[in-house]
Amino acid sequence: MKKTDVIIVGAGASGLMAAYTLANAGKMVVVLEARGRIGGRIHSVNENFSAPTELGAEFVHGDLPVTLNLLKEAGIGSQHVGFEMWQYQNDAFAQTEEFIDGWDEFLQKLNQLENDMPLHDFLEQNFDGAQYAKMRNQVENYVAGYDTADSRDASAFALRNEWNHENEYAQHRVDGGYGTMVNYLANACRNAGTEIHLTNVVHKVSWKSNAVHVTTTDGKQYEADKIIIALPLGVLQAPESAKGALAFNPPIKEHMKAIHDMGFGSVIKILLEFDEVFWEKEAVGADLSNMGFLFSDETVPTYWTQSPVRSRLLTGWLGGPPAYAQKGTSDEAVLQMAMTSLSNIFQTGQEILQDRLVAWHVANWTAESYTRGSYAYDKVESPQARKVLLQPVDGTLYFTGEYLYDGPAMGTVEAALTSGKNAAEMALKGGS
Protein backbone atom coordinates (compact mmCIF):
# COMPACT_ATOMS: atom_id res chain seq x y z
CA MET A 1 0.00 0.00 0.00
CA LYS A 2 1.49 3.31 -1.10
CA LYS A 3 1.52 6.14 1.42
CA THR A 4 1.25 9.76 0.33
CA ASP A 5 1.27 13.15 2.02
CA VAL A 6 -2.38 14.06 1.46
CA ILE A 7 -5.45 12.23 0.21
CA ILE A 8 -8.19 14.36 -1.29
CA VAL A 9 -11.66 12.85 -1.60
CA GLY A 10 -13.47 14.48 -4.52
CA ALA A 11 -12.22 15.89 -7.83
CA GLY A 12 -14.60 18.82 -8.14
CA ALA A 13 -13.43 22.42 -8.23
CA SER A 14 -12.53 22.60 -4.53
CA GLY A 15 -10.73 19.25 -4.49
CA LEU A 16 -8.72 20.00 -7.62
CA MET A 17 -7.83 23.48 -6.37
CA ALA A 18 -6.63 21.96 -3.10
CA ALA A 19 -4.56 19.39 -5.01
CA TYR A 20 -3.15 22.11 -7.28
CA THR A 21 -2.10 24.21 -4.28
CA LEU A 22 -0.50 21.26 -2.50
CA ALA A 23 1.25 20.00 -5.63
CA ASN A 24 2.74 23.43 -6.24
CA ALA A 25 4.12 23.25 -2.69
CA GLY A 26 5.86 19.98 -3.48
CA LYS A 27 3.46 17.63 -1.68
CA MET A 28 2.59 14.18 -2.95
CA VAL A 29 -1.17 14.01 -3.39
CA VAL A 30 -3.69 11.32 -4.32
CA VAL A 31 -7.16 12.44 -5.42
CA LEU A 32 -9.96 9.86 -5.20
CA GLU A 33 -13.09 10.55 -7.25
CA ALA A 34 -16.26 8.45 -7.20
CA ARG A 35 -17.34 9.36 -10.72
CA GLY A 36 -15.68 8.33 -13.94
CA ARG A 37 -14.83 11.96 -14.66
CA ILE A 38 -13.42 15.01 -12.90
CA GLY A 39 -15.28 18.27 -12.28
CA GLY A 40 -18.06 17.38 -9.84
CA ARG A 41 -20.87 19.86 -10.40
CA ILE A 42 -18.90 21.26 -13.32
CA HIS A 43 -19.73 19.16 -16.37
CA SER A 44 -19.19 20.60 -19.84
CA VAL A 45 -20.31 18.32 -22.68
CA ASN A 46 -20.12 18.42 -26.47
CA GLU A 47 -22.07 15.26 -27.21
CA ASN A 48 -25.39 15.75 -29.03
CA PHE A 49 -25.28 19.55 -28.77
CA SER A 50 -23.86 21.85 -31.45
CA ALA A 51 -21.58 23.69 -28.98
CA PRO A 52 -20.04 23.05 -25.55
CA THR A 53 -22.92 22.89 -23.12
CA GLU A 54 -22.90 23.20 -19.33
CA LEU A 55 -24.85 20.57 -17.44
CA GLY A 56 -23.75 22.14 -14.17
CA ALA A 57 -22.07 25.43 -13.28
CA GLU A 58 -22.30 27.91 -16.13
CA PHE A 59 -21.78 31.52 -15.05
CA VAL A 60 -19.01 33.46 -13.37
CA HIS A 61 -21.26 35.47 -11.07
CA GLY A 62 -19.35 38.72 -10.78
CA ASP A 63 -15.80 39.99 -11.08
CA LEU A 64 -14.50 37.15 -8.91
CA PRO A 65 -10.73 37.24 -8.36
CA VAL A 66 -9.81 33.57 -7.82
CA THR A 67 -11.79 32.32 -10.81
CA LEU A 68 -10.74 35.06 -13.21
CA ASN A 69 -7.08 34.90 -12.14
CA LEU A 70 -7.05 31.13 -12.64
CA LEU A 71 -8.57 31.51 -16.10
CA LYS A 72 -5.95 34.12 -16.94
CA GLU A 73 -3.16 31.84 -15.73
CA ALA A 74 -4.54 29.01 -17.85
CA GLY A 75 -4.91 31.22 -20.91
CA ILE A 76 -8.66 30.62 -20.99
CA GLY A 77 -10.86 33.52 -22.02
CA SER A 78 -14.23 34.55 -20.70
CA GLN A 79 -16.99 36.62 -22.22
CA HIS A 80 -19.14 39.17 -20.52
CA VAL A 81 -22.78 38.15 -20.59
CA GLY A 82 -25.11 40.94 -21.61
CA PHE A 83 -28.80 40.24 -21.55
CA GLU A 84 -32.32 41.51 -21.11
CA MET A 85 -34.57 40.12 -18.40
CA TRP A 86 -38.13 39.32 -19.37
CA GLN A 87 -41.20 38.11 -17.57
CA TYR A 88 -44.20 36.25 -18.89
CA GLN A 89 -47.26 36.85 -16.78
CA ASN A 90 -50.97 37.23 -17.47
CA ASP A 91 -50.48 36.13 -21.09
CA ALA A 92 -48.04 38.94 -21.83
CA PHE A 93 -44.29 39.47 -22.08
CA ALA A 94 -42.71 42.39 -20.24
CA GLN A 95 -39.10 43.48 -20.00
CA THR A 96 -38.41 44.38 -16.40
CA GLU A 97 -35.78 44.36 -13.68
CA GLU A 98 -38.37 44.24 -10.89
CA PHE A 99 -39.86 40.82 -10.30
CA ILE A 100 -41.08 41.30 -6.74
CA ASP A 101 -43.90 43.64 -5.82
CA GLY A 102 -42.93 45.97 -2.99
CA TRP A 103 -39.27 44.96 -3.13
CA ASP A 104 -37.98 48.26 -1.68
CA GLU A 105 -40.33 48.06 1.29
CA PHE A 106 -39.42 44.42 1.84
CA LEU A 107 -35.65 45.07 1.72
CA GLN A 108 -35.94 48.09 3.98
CA LYS A 109 -37.74 46.01 6.61
CA LEU A 110 -35.26 43.18 6.18
CA ASN A 111 -32.34 45.55 6.73
CA GLN A 112 -33.86 46.51 10.08
CA LEU A 113 -33.95 42.91 11.33
CA GLU A 114 -31.80 42.54 14.44
CA ASN A 115 -32.00 38.79 15.14
CA ASP A 116 -31.66 36.17 12.45
CA MET A 117 -34.56 33.86 11.60
CA PRO A 118 -35.73 31.76 8.65
CA LEU A 119 -36.91 33.99 5.82
CA HIS A 120 -40.37 32.37 5.85
CA ASP A 121 -40.81 33.39 9.50
CA PHE A 122 -39.68 36.92 8.71
CA LEU A 123 -42.27 37.20 5.94
CA GLU A 124 -45.01 35.83 8.17
CA GLN A 125 -44.16 38.24 10.97
CA ASN A 126 -43.75 41.38 8.87
CA PHE A 127 -45.89 40.86 5.74
CA ASP A 128 -48.72 38.61 6.86
CA GLY A 129 -51.67 40.49 5.38
CA ALA A 130 -53.60 39.43 2.30
CA GLN A 131 -52.26 42.49 0.51
CA TYR A 132 -48.76 40.97 0.75
CA ALA A 133 -49.68 37.46 -0.41
CA LYS A 134 -48.33 38.00 -3.91
CA MET A 135 -45.12 39.54 -2.61
CA ARG A 136 -44.53 36.68 -0.16
CA ASN A 137 -44.99 34.16 -2.96
CA GLN A 138 -42.65 36.06 -5.27
CA VAL A 139 -39.90 36.31 -2.63
CA GLU A 140 -40.09 32.61 -1.77
CA ASN A 141 -40.10 31.64 -5.45
CA TYR A 142 -37.04 33.83 -5.99
CA VAL A 143 -35.22 32.15 -3.10
CA ALA A 144 -36.14 28.73 -4.49
CA GLY A 145 -35.09 29.65 -8.02
CA TYR A 146 -31.89 31.63 -7.52
CA ASP A 147 -30.61 30.19 -4.25
CA THR A 148 -32.25 26.76 -4.76
CA ALA A 149 -33.15 27.13 -1.09
CA ASP A 150 -36.11 26.45 1.16
CA SER A 151 -37.31 29.70 2.72
CA ARG A 152 -38.55 27.72 5.73
CA ASP A 153 -34.97 27.32 6.96
CA ALA A 154 -32.94 29.77 4.84
CA SER A 155 -31.26 32.49 6.90
CA ALA A 156 -32.77 35.95 6.51
CA PHE A 157 -29.40 37.49 7.40
CA ALA A 158 -27.54 35.54 4.70
CA LEU A 159 -30.08 36.41 2.02
CA ARG A 160 -29.99 40.04 3.09
CA ASN A 161 -26.22 40.07 2.70
CA GLU A 162 -26.53 38.51 -0.75
CA TRP A 163 -29.19 40.94 -1.95
CA ASN A 164 -27.32 43.97 -0.67
CA HIS A 165 -24.15 43.02 -2.54
CA GLU A 166 -25.29 41.37 -5.75
CA ASN A 167 -24.22 42.73 -9.11
CA GLU A 168 -26.35 40.95 -11.66
CA TYR A 169 -24.69 42.74 -14.57
CA ALA A 170 -21.14 41.49 -13.86
CA GLN A 171 -21.71 38.06 -15.38
CA HIS A 172 -19.32 36.03 -17.53
CA ARG A 173 -19.16 32.70 -19.31
CA VAL A 174 -15.96 30.69 -19.72
CA ASP A 175 -14.79 30.13 -23.30
CA GLY A 176 -15.33 26.46 -24.09
CA GLY A 177 -17.07 25.90 -20.76
CA TYR A 178 -15.91 25.52 -17.17
CA GLY A 179 -14.60 22.08 -18.13
CA THR A 180 -11.57 23.76 -19.70
CA MET A 181 -10.67 25.19 -16.29
CA VAL A 182 -10.94 21.92 -14.34
CA ASN A 183 -8.97 20.15 -17.10
CA TYR A 184 -6.23 22.74 -16.66
CA LEU A 185 -6.15 22.13 -12.91
CA ALA A 186 -6.11 18.35 -13.32
CA ASN A 187 -3.34 18.43 -15.94
CA ALA A 188 -1.23 20.77 -13.82
CA CYS A 189 -1.67 18.44 -10.86
CA ARG A 190 -0.72 15.34 -12.85
CA ASN A 191 2.34 17.11 -14.26
CA ALA A 192 3.43 17.79 -10.67
CA GLY A 193 3.08 14.11 -9.74
CA THR A 194 -0.43 14.07 -8.33
CA GLU A 195 -2.40 10.85 -8.90
CA ILE A 196 -6.08 11.23 -9.77
CA HIS A 197 -8.01 7.98 -9.49
CA LEU A 198 -11.51 7.92 -10.97
CA THR A 199 -14.33 5.48 -10.09
CA ASN A 200 -12.91 5.18 -6.58
CA VAL A 201 -15.81 5.51 -4.16
CA VAL A 202 -14.43 6.19 -0.70
CA HIS A 203 -16.57 4.55 1.99
CA LYS A 204 -14.52 4.52 5.18
CA VAL A 205 -11.99 6.94 6.64
CA SER A 206 -10.06 5.55 9.61
CA TRP A 207 -7.79 8.06 11.27
CA LYS A 208 -5.66 9.11 14.17
CA SER A 209 -3.42 12.12 14.57
CA ASN A 210 -1.39 12.53 11.34
CA ALA A 211 -2.35 9.11 10.02
CA VAL A 212 -5.25 8.32 7.67
CA HIS A 213 -6.37 5.00 6.22
CA VAL A 214 -8.97 5.12 3.45
CA THR A 215 -11.02 2.22 2.13
CA THR A 216 -13.08 2.29 -1.07
CA THR A 217 -16.24 0.31 -1.76
CA ASP A 218 -14.29 -2.12 -3.96
CA GLY A 219 -11.65 -2.76 -1.33
CA LYS A 220 -8.84 -0.45 -2.44
CA GLN A 221 -6.85 1.10 0.40
CA TYR A 222 -4.80 4.26 0.64
CA GLU A 223 -2.75 5.86 3.41
CA ALA A 224 -1.63 9.43 4.04
CA ASP A 225 -0.64 11.85 6.77
CA LYS A 226 -3.67 14.05 6.15
CA ILE A 227 -6.96 14.00 4.30
CA ILE A 228 -9.07 16.73 2.72
CA ILE A 229 -12.74 15.93 2.27
CA ALA A 230 -13.95 17.76 -0.86
CA LEU A 231 -17.39 16.19 -1.29
CA PRO A 232 -20.68 18.01 -1.89
CA LEU A 233 -22.58 18.85 1.27
CA GLY A 234 -25.46 16.65 0.16
CA VAL A 235 -23.21 13.58 0.14
CA LEU A 236 -21.81 14.41 3.56
CA GLN A 237 -25.36 14.77 4.90
CA ALA A 238 -26.42 11.37 3.53
CA PRO A 239 -26.77 8.46 5.98
CA GLU A 240 -23.77 6.13 6.15
CA SER A 241 -25.72 3.39 4.37
CA ALA A 242 -26.38 5.59 1.32
CA LYS A 243 -24.45 5.21 -1.92
CA GLY A 244 -21.37 7.43 -1.88
CA ALA A 245 -21.63 8.27 1.83
CA LEU A 246 -18.63 8.37 4.18
CA ALA A 247 -18.10 6.70 7.54
CA PHE A 248 -15.47 8.09 9.93
CA ASN A 249 -13.69 5.95 12.49
CA PRO A 250 -13.49 7.25 15.13
CA PRO A 251 -16.62 9.36 14.59
CA ILE A 252 -16.33 13.14 14.31
CA LYS A 253 -19.57 14.04 16.05
CA GLU A 254 -19.13 17.80 16.35
CA HIS A 255 -18.21 18.18 12.69
CA MET A 256 -21.04 15.93 11.53
CA LYS A 257 -23.55 17.97 13.54
CA ALA A 258 -22.18 21.10 11.89
CA ILE A 259 -22.59 19.52 8.46
CA HIS A 260 -26.29 19.01 9.16
CA ASP A 261 -26.63 22.63 10.29
CA MET A 262 -25.81 23.81 6.75
CA GLY A 263 -28.44 24.14 4.03
CA PHE A 264 -28.12 22.35 0.70
CA GLY A 265 -30.49 23.13 -2.15
CA SER A 266 -32.10 21.15 -4.94
CA VAL A 267 -32.05 21.77 -8.68
CA ILE A 268 -32.96 20.28 -12.03
CA LYS A 269 -31.41 21.84 -15.13
CA ILE A 270 -32.96 21.12 -18.51
CA LEU A 271 -30.91 21.71 -21.68
CA LEU A 272 -32.96 22.10 -24.86
CA GLU A 273 -31.54 22.72 -28.33
CA PHE A 274 -34.00 23.49 -31.09
CA ASP A 275 -33.63 23.66 -34.85
CA GLU A 276 -34.16 27.43 -34.74
CA VAL A 277 -34.34 30.30 -32.26
CA PHE A 278 -38.11 29.91 -32.14
CA TRP A 279 -38.68 32.25 -29.17
CA GLU A 280 -37.83 35.25 -31.33
CA LYS A 281 -40.76 34.40 -33.60
CA GLU A 282 -43.34 33.16 -31.14
CA ALA A 283 -43.29 36.00 -28.60
CA VAL A 284 -46.30 37.98 -29.70
CA GLY A 285 -45.85 41.70 -29.14
CA ALA A 286 -42.31 41.36 -27.79
CA ASP A 287 -38.82 41.48 -29.24
CA LEU A 288 -36.90 38.73 -27.46
CA SER A 289 -33.84 38.86 -29.72
CA ASN A 290 -31.67 40.02 -26.77
CA MET A 291 -33.45 38.03 -24.09
CA GLY A 292 -31.17 36.51 -21.49
CA PHE A 293 -33.58 35.32 -18.82
CA LEU A 294 -37.28 34.61 -18.95
CA PHE A 295 -39.32 34.17 -15.77
CA SER A 296 -42.83 32.80 -15.56
CA ASP A 297 -45.31 31.11 -13.23
CA GLU A 298 -45.12 27.81 -15.11
CA THR A 299 -44.12 24.45 -13.60
CA VAL A 300 -40.61 24.97 -14.97
CA PRO A 301 -40.56 28.71 -14.37
CA THR A 302 -37.14 29.95 -15.49
CA TYR A 303 -35.35 29.82 -18.84
CA TRP A 304 -32.26 31.46 -20.24
CA THR A 305 -30.50 31.79 -23.56
CA GLN A 306 -26.81 32.06 -24.47
CA SER A 307 -27.14 35.82 -25.01
CA PRO A 308 -25.32 37.78 -26.32
CA VAL A 309 -24.37 34.77 -28.48
CA ARG A 310 -27.26 33.90 -30.75
CA SER A 311 -27.78 30.22 -30.03
CA ARG A 312 -30.57 27.67 -30.46
CA LEU A 313 -30.00 26.45 -26.89
CA LEU A 314 -32.60 27.21 -24.25
CA THR A 315 -31.94 26.23 -20.64
CA GLY A 316 -34.73 25.47 -18.18
CA TRP A 317 -34.24 25.71 -14.42
CA LEU A 318 -36.26 24.33 -11.53
CA GLY A 319 -34.87 24.98 -8.06
CA GLY A 320 -35.59 24.64 -4.37
CA PRO A 321 -38.45 22.61 -2.88
CA PRO A 322 -40.20 22.21 -6.29
CA ALA A 323 -37.04 20.55 -7.64
CA TYR A 324 -36.74 18.31 -4.59
CA ALA A 325 -40.32 17.19 -5.11
CA GLN A 326 -39.32 15.98 -8.61
CA LYS A 327 -36.05 14.28 -7.67
CA GLY A 328 -37.50 10.83 -8.41
CA THR A 329 -39.15 11.88 -11.67
CA SER A 330 -37.80 10.35 -14.90
CA ASP A 331 -35.81 12.52 -17.29
CA GLU A 332 -38.48 12.03 -19.95
CA ALA A 333 -41.21 13.28 -17.61
CA VAL A 334 -39.12 16.32 -16.63
CA LEU A 335 -38.57 17.05 -20.32
CA GLN A 336 -42.32 17.01 -20.88
CA MET A 337 -42.81 19.38 -17.93
CA ALA A 338 -40.42 21.83 -19.57
CA MET A 339 -41.99 21.45 -23.01
CA THR A 340 -45.48 21.97 -21.59
CA SER A 341 -44.28 25.10 -19.81
CA LEU A 342 -42.75 26.49 -23.01
CA SER A 343 -45.89 25.58 -24.94
CA ASN A 344 -47.97 27.58 -22.48
CA ILE A 345 -45.62 30.55 -22.50
CA PHE A 346 -45.34 30.83 -26.27
CA GLN A 347 -48.87 29.65 -27.04
CA THR A 348 -47.42 27.07 -29.39
CA GLY A 349 -48.48 23.45 -29.71
CA GLN A 350 -46.31 21.07 -27.75
CA GLU A 351 -46.03 18.73 -30.73
CA ILE A 352 -44.67 21.59 -32.82
CA LEU A 353 -42.01 22.34 -30.20
CA GLN A 354 -41.20 18.64 -29.90
CA ASP A 355 -40.60 18.44 -33.64
CA ARG A 356 -38.20 21.39 -33.39
CA LEU A 357 -36.20 19.79 -30.57
CA VAL A 358 -32.92 18.36 -31.85
CA ALA A 359 -31.06 17.65 -28.56
CA TRP A 360 -31.88 17.59 -24.87
CA HIS A 361 -30.48 16.61 -21.52
CA VAL A 362 -31.97 16.67 -18.02
CA ALA A 363 -29.39 17.22 -15.27
CA ASN A 364 -31.23 16.17 -12.11
CA TRP A 365 -28.43 16.94 -9.67
CA THR A 366 -30.56 16.17 -6.64
CA ALA A 367 -31.07 12.60 -7.83
CA GLU A 368 -27.36 11.94 -8.45
CA SER A 369 -25.82 9.80 -5.71
CA TYR A 370 -22.47 11.63 -5.76
CA THR A 371 -24.02 15.11 -5.57
CA ARG A 372 -27.49 14.90 -3.94
CA GLY A 373 -28.35 18.54 -4.57
CA SER A 374 -27.31 21.85 -6.03
CA TYR A 375 -25.27 24.17 -3.83
CA ALA A 376 -25.26 25.41 -0.27
CA TYR A 377 -27.29 28.07 1.42
CA ASP A 378 -27.11 29.34 4.97
CA LYS A 379 -29.53 28.35 7.67
CA VAL A 380 -29.65 30.33 10.92
CA GLU A 381 -27.23 27.84 12.48
CA SER A 382 -24.80 27.86 9.55
CA PRO A 383 -22.35 30.62 10.59
CA GLN A 384 -21.47 28.75 13.78
CA ALA A 385 -21.40 25.44 11.91
CA ARG A 386 -18.99 26.91 9.38
CA LYS A 387 -16.61 27.92 12.17
CA VAL A 388 -16.54 24.32 13.37
CA LEU A 389 -15.99 22.88 9.90
CA LEU A 390 -13.20 25.30 9.10
CA GLN A 391 -11.23 23.84 12.00
CA PRO A 392 -9.32 20.65 11.14
CA VAL A 393 -9.86 17.55 13.24
CA ASP A 394 -6.64 17.01 15.20
CA GLY A 395 -4.62 18.59 12.40
CA THR A 396 -5.46 15.57 10.24
CA LEU A 397 -8.97 15.84 8.72
CA TYR A 398 -9.88 18.93 6.71
CA PHE A 399 -13.09 19.89 4.95
CA THR A 400 -13.45 22.00 1.82
CA GLY A 401 -16.28 23.00 -0.50
CA GLU A 402 -18.38 25.91 -1.65
CA TYR A 403 -20.48 25.56 1.53
CA LEU A 404 -17.49 26.71 3.63
CA TYR A 405 -17.11 30.02 1.83
CA ASP A 406 -18.38 32.98 3.84
CA GLY A 407 -19.25 35.84 1.54
CA PRO A 408 -21.60 37.12 -1.17
CA ALA A 409 -20.34 34.57 -3.75
CA MET A 410 -21.57 31.58 -1.74
CA GLY A 411 -22.64 28.59 -3.79
CA THR A 412 -20.43 29.48 -6.76
CA VAL A 413 -17.34 28.02 -8.42
CA GLU A 414 -15.46 30.95 -6.90
CA ALA A 415 -16.54 29.75 -3.46
CA ALA A 416 -15.34 26.22 -4.22
CA LEU A 417 -11.96 27.35 -5.57
CA THR A 418 -11.39 29.72 -2.66
CA SER A 419 -12.26 27.05 -0.10
CA GLY A 420 -10.01 24.48 -1.76
CA LYS A 421 -7.08 26.88 -1.78
CA ASN A 422 -7.66 27.80 1.87
CA ALA A 423 -7.93 24.18 3.02
CA ALA A 424 -4.70 23.26 1.26
CA GLU A 425 -2.85 26.21 2.76
CA MET A 426 -4.13 25.25 6.21
CA ALA A 427 -2.94 21.66 5.71
CA LEU A 428 0.48 22.95 4.66
CA LYS A 429 0.71 24.85 7.93
CA GLY A 430 -0.07 21.63 9.74
CA GLY A 431 -3.21 22.72 11.56
CA SER A 432 -5.48 25.68 12.09
Side-chain angles (χ1 to χ4, degrees):
M1 186 188 313
K2 182 180 178 181
K3 184 177 179 181
T4 190
D5 293 324
V6 183
I7 292 170
I8 297 176
V9 183
S14 58
L16 289 174
M17 189 64 173
Y20 176 75
T21 305
L22 291 166
N24 283 343
K27 296 296 181 180
M28 296 304 297
V29 181
V30 169
V31 181
L32 304 176
E33 167 57 45
R35 291 186 175 91
R37 62 173 181 83
I38 62 170
R41 282 163 282 172
I42 290 173
H43 193 190
S44 306
V45 298
N46 290 298
E47 298 87 1
N48 300 324
F49 295 94
S50 60
T53 302
E54 302 283 32
L55 303 186
E58 181 169 345
F59 297 97
V60 182
H61 292 285
D63 294 322
L64 304 177
V66 178
T67 304
L68 294 178
N69 286 340
L70 182 60
L71 292 174
K72 182 178 180 181
E73 176 187 317
I76 301 169
S78 63
Q79 301 299 319
H80 181 264
V81 178
F83 51 75
E84 297 174 351
M85 301 177 75
W86 285 79
Q87 187 171 33
Y88 180 78
Q89 199 171 49
N90 300 323
D91 299 326
F93 292 92
Q95 185 184 350
T96 177
E97 306 299 331
E98 281 292 341
F99 297 101
I100 296 175
D101 292 354
W103 174 257
D104 291 340
E105 179 187 0
F106 162 75
L107 194 57
Q108 181 182 22
K109 198 83 167 180
L110 185 60
N111 283 330
Q112 295 169 358
L113 184 65
E114 295 182 359
N115 297 305
D116 199 7
M117 64 178 65
L119 184 70
H120 177 82
D121 294 354
F122 169 80
L123 288 168
E124 291 293 318
Q125 292 180 21
N126 292 275
F127 299 96
D128 64 339
Q131 70 272 30
Y132 293 116
K134 183 178 180 181
M135 189 260 291
R136 290 196 304 271
N137 185 60
Q138 289 173 329
V139 170
E140 294 191 328
N141 286 344
Y142 180 63
V143 170
Y146 188 81
D147 297 278
T148 69
D150 188 338
S151 64
R152 291 172 296 182
D153 64 11
S155 160
F157 275 9
L159 291 166
R160 178 176 71 184
N161 182 52
E162 173 192 314
W163 293 332
N164 282 329
H165 292 93
E166 63 185 351
N167 181 2
E168 62 192 31
Y169 296 103
Q171 306 283 340
H172 310 267
R173 280 194 180 94
V174 179
D175 291 350
Y178 263 122
T180 59
M181 184 191 74
V182 294
N183 286 337
Y184 169 78
L185 284 174
N187 290 334
C189 288
R190 291 188 180 104
N191 290 338
T194 295
E195 296 179 12
I196 301 176
H197 298 290
L198 304 179
T199 61
N200 271 247
V201 183
V202 175
H203 173 63
K204 187 175 181 180
V205 176
S206 301
W207 67 277
K208 59 184 179 180
S209 182
N210 294 308
V212 178
H213 186 104
V214 166
T215 306
T216 66
T217 54
D218 60 356
K220 295 188 182 75
Q221 299 184 50
Y222 301 87
E223 288 187 347
D225 298 327
K226 301 179 187 296
I227 188 169
I228 297 177
I229 307 297
L231 296 177
L233 187 61
V235 175
L236 295 174
Q237 291 176 342
E240 288 186 6
S241 59
K243 183 179 180 181
L246 281 186
F248 292 91
N249 181 32
I252 49 173
K253 293 181 180 179
E254 185 181 12
H255 281 66
M256 292 308 297
K257 180 185 181 301
I259 282 167
H260 287 278
D261 283 340
M262 308 290 289
F264 197 59
S266 301
V267 75
I268 300 176
K269 188 176 184 182
I270 307 122
L271 291 303
L272 307 166
E273 184 170 352
F274 295 90
D275 61 359
E276 62 177 342
V277 188
F278 76 86
W279 48 93
E280 294 182 3
K281 296 181 178 181
E282 303 296 346
V284 178
D287 178 8
L288 302 186
S289 57
N290 293 316
M291 180 185 75
F293 282 79
L294 175 63
F295 302 93
S296 73
D297 295 325
E298 292 295 325
T299 304
V300 178
T302 302
Y303 295 87
W304 65 77
T305 69
Q306 296 295 296
S307 178
V309 175
R310 193 170 185 272
S311 166
R312 300 173 296 156
L313 183 69
L314 198 60
T315 301
W317 181 264
L318 180 66
Y324 186 83
Q326 301 295 335
K327 72 172 184 175
T329 302
S330 69
D331 290 352
E332 290 76 12
V334 172
L335 170 65
Q336 292 311 311
M337 288 166 51
M339 298 297 280
T340 299
S341 297
L342 288 173
S343 175
N344 293 338
I345 291 170
F346 291 100
Q347 300 296 303
T348 301
Q350 192 167 335
E351 290 185 2
I352 296 174
L353 291 180
Q354 196 77 42
D355 288 342
R356 291 176 175 173
L357 188 67
V358 296
W360 65 278
H361 187 102
V362 171
N364 188 343
W365 290 98
T366 308
E368 292 198 8
S369 299
Y370 304 133
T371 307
R372 297 182 181 270
S374 55
Y375 40 84
Y377 64 90
D378 267 5
K379 301 196 288 189
V380 174
E381 304 85 0
S382 296
Q384 180 58 38
R386 189 176 292 109
K387 290 179 182 178
V388 172
L389 291 166
L390 285 171
Q391 295 301 314
V393 182
D394 203 8
T396 304
L397 274 65
Y398 300 77
F399 287 86
T400 183
E402 45 85 17
Y403 63 97
L404 292 179
Y405 173 91
D406 188 13
M410 185 176 180
T412 63
V413 174
E414 175 80 3
L417 293 172
T418 302
S419 177
K421 182 173 182 287
N422 290 345
E425 290 174 347
M426 189 179 296
L428 287 169
K429 294 176 182 176
S432 59

